Amino acid sequence: MSNSESDITKVNIDFGSLLSEARKANKYTVDDISEHIKIPVNYIIAIEANDLAALPGATFARGYIRAYAKFLEISDKSIMEIYNQAAPVDQAKNLKPRSNLPSEASSQSPLFKTITMLLIIAGITAVIYGSFQYYQEKADVMESERDTKQSSFTGSSLDSPGTTQLDLRQDAGSADTVSTDDKPDQFEEISGSNAAIDEQGAVVSEAEDDVSATLQQNNSKTLEEKQIAESDVIEIFAENGSWVEVRDASNSRLFHNLVPKGDTKVIQGKAPFYISLGNAKTTRVLINDLELDMLKYIRPNNTIKIKVSTEEQKVIIH
Protein backbone atom coordinates (compact mmCIF):
# COMPACT_ATOMS: atom_id res chain seq x y z
CA MET A 1 0.00 0.00 0.00
CA SER A 2 1.32 3.46 -0.95
CA ASN A 3 1.74 6.31 1.49
CA SER A 4 -1.18 8.25 -0.04
CA GLU A 5 -3.56 5.33 0.46
CA SER A 6 -2.37 4.97 4.09
CA ASP A 7 -3.04 8.64 4.78
CA ILE A 8 -6.58 8.41 3.30
CA THR A 9 -7.36 5.38 5.47
CA LYS A 10 -6.05 7.19 8.53
CA VAL A 11 -8.24 10.20 7.82
CA ASN A 12 -11.26 8.00 7.23
CA ILE A 13 -10.98 6.46 10.70
CA ASP A 14 -9.57 9.48 12.63
CA PHE A 15 -12.83 10.67 14.27
CA GLY A 16 -10.95 11.65 17.44
CA SER A 17 -8.84 14.33 15.73
CA LEU A 18 -11.99 16.03 14.39
CA LEU A 19 -13.45 16.21 17.87
CA SER A 20 -10.14 17.36 19.39
CA GLU A 21 -9.69 20.18 16.86
CA ALA A 22 -13.29 21.31 17.32
CA ARG A 23 -12.80 21.39 21.10
CA LYS A 24 -9.63 23.45 20.83
CA ALA A 25 -11.29 25.83 18.35
CA ASN A 26 -14.06 26.48 20.91
CA LYS A 27 -11.40 26.91 23.63
CA TYR A 28 -12.68 24.02 25.78
CA THR A 29 -10.47 21.89 27.95
CA VAL A 30 -10.97 18.18 28.46
CA ASP A 31 -12.24 18.91 31.97
CA ASP A 32 -14.82 21.37 30.56
CA ILE A 33 -16.16 18.72 28.19
CA SER A 34 -16.32 16.16 31.02
CA GLU A 35 -18.26 18.56 33.24
CA HIS A 36 -20.77 19.53 30.53
CA ILE A 37 -21.63 16.14 29.01
CA LYS A 38 -20.90 14.07 32.16
CA ILE A 39 -18.31 11.76 30.55
CA PRO A 40 -15.20 10.69 32.49
CA VAL A 41 -11.98 12.49 31.44
CA ASN A 42 -10.18 9.24 30.56
CA TYR A 43 -12.91 8.35 28.04
CA ILE A 44 -12.68 11.79 26.39
CA ILE A 45 -8.90 11.37 26.05
CA ALA A 46 -9.42 7.87 24.56
CA ILE A 47 -11.99 9.21 22.06
CA GLU A 48 -9.66 11.98 20.84
CA ALA A 49 -6.82 9.43 20.56
CA ASN A 50 -8.99 6.91 18.63
CA ASP A 51 -8.10 4.36 21.33
CA LEU A 52 -10.96 1.90 20.88
CA ALA A 53 -9.49 -0.56 23.39
CA ALA A 54 -9.73 2.04 26.20
CA LEU A 55 -13.40 2.75 25.51
CA PRO A 56 -16.27 0.82 27.10
CA GLY A 57 -18.62 -1.41 25.07
CA ALA A 58 -19.71 -0.37 21.60
CA THR A 59 -23.10 0.89 22.77
CA PHE A 60 -21.62 3.21 25.43
CA ALA A 61 -18.79 4.33 23.09
CA ARG A 62 -21.24 5.37 20.37
CA GLY A 63 -23.33 7.28 22.93
CA TYR A 64 -20.31 9.14 24.27
CA ILE A 65 -19.05 10.07 20.77
CA ARG A 66 -22.48 11.22 19.62
CA ALA A 67 -22.96 13.39 22.77
CA TYR A 68 -19.45 14.85 22.30
CA ALA A 69 -20.16 15.78 18.65
CA LYS A 70 -23.54 17.38 19.45
CA PHE A 71 -22.02 19.48 22.22
CA LEU A 72 -19.37 20.81 19.79
CA GLU A 73 -22.12 21.34 17.15
CA ILE A 74 -20.53 18.87 14.71
CA SER A 75 -22.65 16.54 12.60
CA ASP A 76 -22.87 13.46 14.78
CA LYS A 77 -23.91 11.46 11.71
CA SER A 78 -20.57 12.18 9.97
CA ILE A 79 -18.59 11.39 13.11
CA MET A 80 -20.49 8.07 13.60
CA GLU A 81 -19.80 7.04 9.98
CA ILE A 82 -16.06 7.50 10.60
CA TYR A 83 -16.32 5.60 13.92
CA ASN A 84 -18.18 2.70 12.26
CA GLN A 85 -15.32 2.31 9.81
CA ALA A 86 -12.93 1.97 12.73
CA ALA A 87 -15.23 -0.33 14.71
CA PRO A 88 -17.65 -2.06 12.29
CA VAL A 89 -21.06 -3.01 13.66
CA ASP A 90 -20.79 -6.54 12.23
CA GLN A 91 -17.91 -7.20 14.62
CA ALA A 92 -20.21 -6.73 17.61
CA LYS A 93 -22.96 -8.87 16.07
CA ASN A 94 -20.61 -11.81 15.52
CA LEU A 95 -19.79 -11.98 19.26
CA LYS A 96 -21.64 -14.75 21.14
CA PRO A 97 -22.74 -14.10 24.73
CA ARG A 98 -21.11 -16.39 27.23
CA SER A 99 -22.70 -17.47 30.45
CA ASN A 100 -21.18 -16.17 33.68
CA LEU A 101 -22.47 -19.20 35.55
CA PRO A 102 -20.15 -22.21 35.33
CA SER A 103 -22.99 -24.61 36.17
CA GLU A 104 -25.22 -23.32 33.38
CA ALA A 105 -23.26 -25.05 30.62
CA SER A 106 -23.18 -28.40 32.39
CA SER A 107 -26.84 -28.34 33.50
CA GLN A 108 -27.99 -29.38 30.04
CA SER A 109 -25.66 -32.37 29.75
CA PRO A 110 -27.17 -35.92 29.58
CA LEU A 111 -25.27 -36.96 32.71
CA PHE A 112 -26.73 -34.11 34.72
CA LYS A 113 -30.25 -34.94 33.52
CA THR A 114 -29.79 -38.62 34.39
CA ILE A 115 -28.57 -37.86 37.91
CA THR A 116 -31.47 -35.46 38.49
CA MET A 117 -34.01 -38.06 37.35
CA LEU A 118 -32.49 -40.71 39.62
CA LEU A 119 -32.67 -38.38 42.63
CA ILE A 120 -36.34 -37.65 41.94
CA ILE A 121 -37.17 -41.36 41.65
CA ALA A 122 -35.26 -42.10 44.88
CA GLY A 123 -37.21 -39.38 46.71
CA ILE A 124 -40.59 -40.70 45.54
CA THR A 125 -39.60 -44.26 46.50
CA ALA A 126 -38.58 -43.12 50.00
CA VAL A 127 -41.93 -41.38 50.54
CA ILE A 128 -43.91 -44.44 49.41
CA TYR A 129 -41.86 -46.80 51.60
CA GLY A 130 -42.21 -44.52 54.64
CA SER A 131 -46.00 -44.35 54.21
CA PHE A 132 -46.23 -48.15 53.92
CA GLN A 133 -44.18 -48.65 57.09
CA TYR A 134 -46.34 -46.15 59.03
CA TYR A 135 -49.64 -47.82 58.12
CA GLN A 136 -48.18 -51.29 58.75
CA GLU A 137 -47.12 -50.30 62.30
CA LYS A 138 -50.52 -48.74 62.92
CA ALA A 139 -52.28 -51.95 61.82
CA ASP A 140 -50.04 -54.03 64.15
CA VAL A 141 -50.91 -51.81 67.10
CA MET A 142 -54.66 -52.09 66.42
CA GLU A 143 -54.42 -55.89 66.13
CA SER A 144 -52.47 -56.09 69.41
CA GLU A 145 -55.12 -54.00 71.21
CA ARG A 146 -57.87 -56.26 69.85
CA ASP A 147 -56.06 -59.41 71.08
CA THR A 148 -55.61 -57.82 74.51
CA LYS A 149 -59.33 -57.06 74.79
CA GLN A 150 -60.28 -60.61 73.78
CA SER A 151 -57.92 -62.19 76.30
CA SER A 152 -59.38 -60.04 79.12
CA PHE A 153 -62.82 -61.76 78.92
CA THR A 154 -63.56 -64.15 81.84
CA GLY A 155 -65.96 -66.37 79.94
CA SER A 156 -68.67 -65.92 82.58
CA SER A 157 -71.18 -64.31 80.22
CA LEU A 158 -72.99 -65.69 77.20
CA ASP A 159 -71.31 -63.24 74.85
CA SER A 160 -67.79 -63.88 76.16
CA PRO A 161 -65.43 -65.72 73.80
CA GLY A 162 -63.50 -67.21 76.75
CA THR A 163 -62.82 -70.91 77.19
CA THR A 164 -65.19 -71.39 80.14
CA GLN A 165 -68.77 -71.46 78.88
CA LEU A 166 -72.01 -72.55 80.42
CA ASP A 167 -73.56 -75.72 79.03
CA LEU A 168 -77.15 -74.59 78.91
CA ARG A 169 -78.41 -77.79 77.33
CA GLN A 170 -76.86 -79.88 80.08
CA ASP A 171 -78.41 -77.67 82.77
CA ALA A 172 -81.72 -77.84 80.99
CA GLY A 173 -81.48 -81.60 80.78
CA SER A 174 -80.77 -81.80 84.49
CA ALA A 175 -83.81 -79.72 85.19
CA ASP A 176 -85.93 -81.95 82.98
CA THR A 177 -84.96 -85.00 85.04
CA VAL A 178 -86.70 -83.52 88.08
CA SER A 179 -90.32 -84.72 88.05
CA THR A 180 -93.00 -82.58 89.65
CA ASP A 181 -95.58 -85.31 89.45
CA ASP A 182 -94.09 -87.34 92.35
CA LYS A 183 -94.84 -84.78 95.13
CA PRO A 184 -97.43 -82.23 93.91
CA ASP A 185 -98.52 -81.29 97.40
CA GLN A 186 -95.01 -80.43 98.47
CA PHE A 187 -94.53 -78.09 95.48
CA GLU A 188 -97.87 -76.37 96.16
CA GLU A 189 -96.89 -75.85 99.79
CA ILE A 190 -93.55 -74.32 98.77
CA SER A 191 -95.25 -72.09 96.19
CA GLY A 192 -97.76 -70.88 98.75
CA SER A 193 -95.02 -70.14 101.26
CA ASN A 194 -93.10 -68.12 98.67
CA ALA A 195 -96.21 -66.11 97.86
CA ALA A 196 -96.79 -65.35 101.53
CA ILE A 197 -93.17 -64.29 101.97
CA ASP A 198 -93.38 -62.00 98.93
CA GLU A 199 -96.61 -60.42 100.22
CA GLN A 200 -95.15 -59.89 103.68
CA GLY A 201 -91.99 -58.35 102.15
CA ALA A 202 -94.10 -55.94 100.08
CA VAL A 203 -96.00 -54.83 103.18
CA VAL A 204 -92.75 -54.28 105.10
CA SER A 205 -91.24 -52.34 102.21
CA GLU A 206 -94.33 -50.15 101.96
CA ALA A 207 -94.21 -49.44 105.71
CA GLU A 208 -90.53 -48.52 105.49
CA ASP A 209 -91.27 -46.10 102.65
CA ASP A 210 -94.00 -44.42 104.74
CA VAL A 211 -91.66 -44.05 107.71
CA SER A 212 -88.90 -42.60 105.50
CA ALA A 213 -91.31 -40.08 103.93
CA THR A 214 -92.59 -39.03 107.36
CA LEU A 215 -89.03 -38.51 108.67
CA GLN A 216 -88.09 -36.42 105.64
CA GLN A 217 -91.22 -34.29 106.03
CA ASN A 218 -90.54 -33.74 109.74
CA ASN A 219 -86.89 -32.86 109.07
CA SER A 220 -87.95 -30.40 106.37
CA LYS A 221 -90.44 -28.72 108.69
CA THR A 222 -87.89 -28.58 111.50
CA LEU A 223 -85.26 -27.01 109.19
CA GLU A 224 -87.76 -24.46 107.86
CA GLU A 225 -88.91 -23.54 111.38
CA LYS A 226 -85.27 -23.22 112.47
CA GLN A 227 -84.46 -20.95 109.52
CA ILE A 228 -87.50 -18.77 110.26
CA ALA A 229 -86.56 -18.54 113.94
CA GLU A 230 -82.97 -17.54 113.10
CA SER A 231 -83.92 -15.02 110.38
CA ASP A 232 -84.52 -11.30 110.88
CA VAL A 233 -87.61 -9.48 109.63
CA ILE A 234 -87.81 -6.08 107.94
CA GLU A 235 -91.12 -4.25 107.50
CA ILE A 236 -91.34 -1.30 105.15
CA PHE A 237 -94.36 1.06 105.19
CA ALA A 238 -94.46 3.31 102.12
CA GLU A 239 -96.91 6.14 102.78
CA ASN A 240 -96.37 7.79 99.39
CA GLY A 241 -94.71 4.84 97.65
CA SER A 242 -91.01 4.09 97.61
CA TRP A 243 -88.45 2.34 95.47
CA VAL A 244 -86.68 -0.16 97.78
CA GLU A 245 -83.61 -2.38 97.57
CA VAL A 246 -82.63 -4.71 100.45
CA ARG A 247 -79.54 -6.97 100.64
CA ASP A 248 -78.65 -9.39 103.45
CA ALA A 249 -75.37 -10.05 105.28
CA SER A 250 -74.00 -12.05 102.33
CA ASN A 251 -74.85 -9.15 99.99
CA SER A 252 -77.55 -11.26 98.32
CA ARG A 253 -80.43 -9.17 97.01
CA LEU A 254 -83.65 -9.93 98.94
CA PHE A 255 -85.87 -7.29 97.34
CA HIS A 256 -85.52 -4.76 94.54
CA ASN A 257 -88.81 -3.20 93.47
CA LEU A 258 -91.37 -0.48 94.01
CA VAL A 259 -93.51 -0.58 97.15
CA PRO A 260 -96.77 1.10 96.02
CA LYS A 261 -98.32 4.00 97.85
CA GLY A 262 -99.87 2.92 101.15
CA ASP A 263 -98.53 -0.68 100.92
CA THR A 264 -96.34 -2.64 103.30
CA LYS A 265 -93.52 -5.02 102.35
CA VAL A 266 -92.25 -7.73 104.75
CA ILE A 267 -88.78 -9.20 104.05
CA GLN A 268 -86.96 -12.03 105.87
CA GLY A 269 -83.22 -12.54 105.88
CA LYS A 270 -80.04 -12.51 107.92
CA ALA A 271 -78.89 -9.17 109.41
CA PRO A 272 -77.12 -6.88 108.96
CA PHE A 273 -79.20 -5.48 106.08
CA TYR A 274 -78.15 -3.00 103.40
CA ILE A 275 -81.16 -0.78 102.69
CA SER A 276 -81.59 1.79 99.91
CA LEU A 277 -84.93 3.57 99.40
CA GLY A 278 -86.57 6.69 98.05
CA ASN A 279 -89.21 9.00 99.55
CA ALA A 280 -87.36 8.43 102.81
CA LYS A 281 -89.24 11.17 104.71
CA THR A 282 -92.58 9.41 104.27
CA THR A 283 -91.34 5.82 104.60
CA ARG A 284 -91.07 3.85 107.87
CA VAL A 285 -88.72 0.89 108.38
CA LEU A 286 -88.94 -1.66 111.19
CA ILE A 287 -86.43 -4.43 111.88
CA ASN A 288 -87.56 -7.17 114.29
CA ASP A 289 -90.44 -4.87 115.36
CA LEU A 290 -87.99 -2.07 116.22
CA GLU A 291 -88.48 1.14 114.23
CA LEU A 292 -85.47 2.91 112.70
CA ASP A 293 -84.89 6.58 113.37
CA MET A 294 -83.65 7.53 109.88
CA LEU A 295 -84.17 11.30 109.96
CA LYS A 296 -80.51 12.30 110.26
CA TYR A 297 -79.49 9.84 107.52
CA ILE A 298 -81.84 11.22 104.86
CA ARG A 299 -79.99 12.80 101.94
CA PRO A 300 -80.92 16.10 100.28
CA ASN A 301 -82.57 14.20 97.40
CA ASN A 302 -84.94 12.48 99.91
CA THR A 303 -83.16 9.09 99.65
CA ILE A 304 -81.37 6.97 102.18
CA LYS A 305 -78.69 4.27 102.05
CA ILE A 306 -77.79 2.58 105.34
CA LYS A 307 -76.62 -0.66 106.92
CA VAL A 308 -78.72 -1.80 109.93
CA SER A 309 -78.89 -4.65 112.45
CA THR A 310 -80.32 -5.35 115.93
CA GLU A 311 -78.71 -6.27 119.21
CA GLU A 312 -80.63 -6.86 122.46
CA GLN A 313 -83.71 -4.88 121.46
CA LYS A 314 -81.62 -2.09 119.99
CA VAL A 315 -81.33 -0.95 116.41
CA ILE A 316 -77.78 -0.34 115.20
CA ILE A 317 -77.19 1.79 112.12
CA HIS A 318 -73.66 1.26 110.80
Side-chain angles (χ1 to χ4, degrees):
M1 181 183 295
S2 63
N3 293 332
S4 59
E5 291 178 353
S6 177
D7 293 339
I8 293 172
T9 304
K10 183 177 180 181
V11 171
N12 288 338
I13 65 172
D14 192 3
F15 59 89
S17 298
L18 296 177
L19 294 173
S20 177
E21 292 176 1
R23 173 179 62 79
K24 294 175 181 178
N26 287 280
K27 298 181 179 180
Y28 288 120
T29 64
V30 174
D31 292 333
D32 293 336
I33 300 300
S34 176
E35 183 178 355
H36 281 87
I37 63 176
K38 307 302 180 186
I39 297 175
V41 173
N42 59 322
Y43 287 157
I44 295 175
I45 295 173
I47 291 172
E48 293 184 353
N50 298 311
D51 188 359
L52 300 181
L55 292 174
T59 302
F60 289 98
R62 288 187 178 89
Y64 291 162
I65 295 170
R66 185 175 287 108
Y68 195 178
K70 287 182 178 180
F71 178 73
L72 296 175
E73 298 179 355
I74 299 176
S75 174
D76 59 320
K77 184 177 180 181
S78 301
I79 294 296
M80 294 309 300
E81 288 178 356
I82 299 173
Y83 169 78
N84 289 334
Q85 294 178 14
V89 179
D90 294 339
Q91 183 180 0
K93 291 183 178 179
N94 293 329
L95 297 177
K96 283 188 177 181
R98 294 184 60 186
S99 173
N100 293 327
L101 300 176
S103 61
E104 186 176 338
S106 60
S107 63
Q108 303 299 326
S109 64
L111 179 61
F112 181 81
K113 291 181 179 180
T114 303
I115 294 174
T116 303
M117 185 61 65
L118 291 175
L119 291 176
I120 294 173
I121 294 173
I124 296 173
T125 304
V127 171
I128 295 173
Y129 179 76
S131 301
F132 175 78
Q133 287 292 105
Y134 170 76
Y135 287 109
Q136 183 66 33
E137 291 177 0
K138 190 173 182 180
D140 293 341
V141 171
M142 293 177 64
E143 186 176 357
S144 176
E145 291 179 354
R146 185 183 61 185
D147 294 341
T148 303
K149 289 182 180 179
Q150 289 181 352
S151 62
S152 63
F153 288 132
T154 59
S156 59
S157 64
L158 296 178
D159 296 332
S160 173
T163 56
T164 304
Q165 297 183 357
L166 298 177
D167 190 352
L168 297 180
R169 291 183 298 175
Q170 182 179 359
D171 293 342
S174 300
D176 291 340
T177 58
V178 178
S179 176
T180 59
D181 294 337
D182 296 339
K183 297 180 180 180
D185 296 336
Q186 183 178 358
F187 279 102
E188 290 178 0
E189 182 179 354
I190 293 173
S191 177
S193 300
N194 290 337
I197 292 172
D198 292 341
E199 184 177 358
Q200 185 178 2
V203 172
V204 172
S205 177
E206 184 176 355
E208 290 178 351
D209 292 340
D210 292 340
V211 171
S212 178
T214 303
L215 290 175
Q216 290 181 357
Q217 185 176 3
N218 292 338
N219 291 336
S220 178
K221 289 182 178 180
T222 303
L223 180 60
E224 184 177 357
E225 291 174 355
K226 183 177 180 181
Q227 290 177 348
I228 294 174
E230 292 179 353
S231 63
D232 300 294
V233 180
I234 292 181
E235 297 178 80
I236 300 174
F237 302 92
E239 182 178 346
N240 293 325
S242 176
W243 184 268
V244 180
E245 180 183 30
V246 178
R247 294 179 180 269
D248 63 5
S250 64
N251 203 29
S252 298
R253 181 184 289 174
L254 304 178
F255 183 77
H256 182 250
N257 209 337
L258 176 68
V259 179
K261 181 179 180 180
D263 280 5
T264 301
K265 181 65 181 178
V266 179
I267 305 168
Q268 291 184 345
K270 187 66 177 176
F273 296 102
Y274 301 86
I275 303 173
S276 301
L277 53 85
N279 277 343
K281 293 181 180 179
T282 57
T283 303
R284 297 173 55 207
V285 179
L286 280 73
I287 175 170
N288 297 335
D289 296 328
L290 300 175
E291 186 169 358
L292 275 66
D293 184 6
M294 305 184 301
L295 185 60
K296 62 180 180 179
Y297 300 101
I298 297 176
R299 299 179 179 181
N301 60 354
N302 197 19
T303 62
I304 195 170
K305 189 173 183 180
I306 55 176
K307 175 183 175 183
V308 297
S309 61
T310 60
E311 183 179 351
E312 297 181 356
Q313 300 299 318
K314 292 182 181 180
V315 178
I316 302 174
I317 301 179
H318 303 277

